[in-house]
Amino acid sequence: EEIVRKRAQIMAMKIIREIKRLTPHITGNLKKRWFFQIEERDGELVIWISNDVEYAAPVNYGHRIVRGGKTVGKTQGKFMLEKGIQVYQDTYMEQDVMDMLNDLKEAMK
């Protein structure tokens, strides 16, 4: 369990790195407030990726532009969360899973 938790933490840090790379930077607040949490649920480890900035969801998914009480447009979402996770899956995930399996095999010897 310790090996899997350690490897899950490494995976989560890589995901956060990719998300931060894709996060728009004006003040830096949105970028620095990404964090992860690892939780055990029904015998599985779950990695939760979050951002507690109040405008994180509108930046990620887009939002309406309202002036004078009327909607005048919509911004396109940046989808940095989804894109960051996809970059991780395409680039690092296979190797990270193999590294975890190798660590587990080594521990069982």
Side-chain angles (χ1 to χ4, degrees):
E1 186 177 320
E2 183 181 324
I3 292 169
V4 174
R5 189 170 288 276
K6 177 183 154 201
R7 284 294 174 174
Q9 189 165 6
I10 291 169
M11 290 173 172
M13 288 187 293
K14 288 180 180 180
I15 294 168
I16 293 287
R17 182 182 65 210
E18 293 304 322
I19 293 169
K20 284 183 175 184
R21 193 176 59 74
L22 296 167
T23 300
H25 179 86
I26 296 174
T27 65
N29 190 43
L30 182 61
K31 190 177 272 198
K32 73 180 177 183
R33 301 280 291 268
W34 286 105
F35 63 95
F36 68 89
Q37 196 171 9
I38 298 173
E39 172 181 303
E40 189 169 337
R41 216 179 238 194
D42 299 327
E44 296 181 349
L45 285 182
V46 178
I47 300 171
W48 293 98
I49 306 292
S50 302
N51 191 313
D52 58 2
V53 173
E54 65 184 47
Y55 53 88
V59 171
N60 193 57
Y61 300 114
H63 59 87
R64 295 180 305 143
I65 300 170
V66 179
R67 292 198 182 111
K70 294 187 179 189
T71 300
V72 296
K74 183 178 182 334
T75 64
Q76 288 295 100
K78 301 296 182 186
F79 297 100
M80 60 260 182
L81 175 62
E82 293 82 356
K83 289 177 182 177
I85 291 170
Q86 189 62 53
V87 168
Y88 169 78
Q89 289 174 336
D90 294 344
T91 309
Y92 303 105
M93 188 169 167
E94 185 176 344
Q95 185 60 51
D96 285 347
V97 170
M98 292 305 296
D99 291 345
M100 182 187 303
L101 290 172
N102 289 335
D103 288 351
L104 289 168
K105 284 179 190 175
E106 193 65 34
M108 288 185 198
K109 287 185 179 179

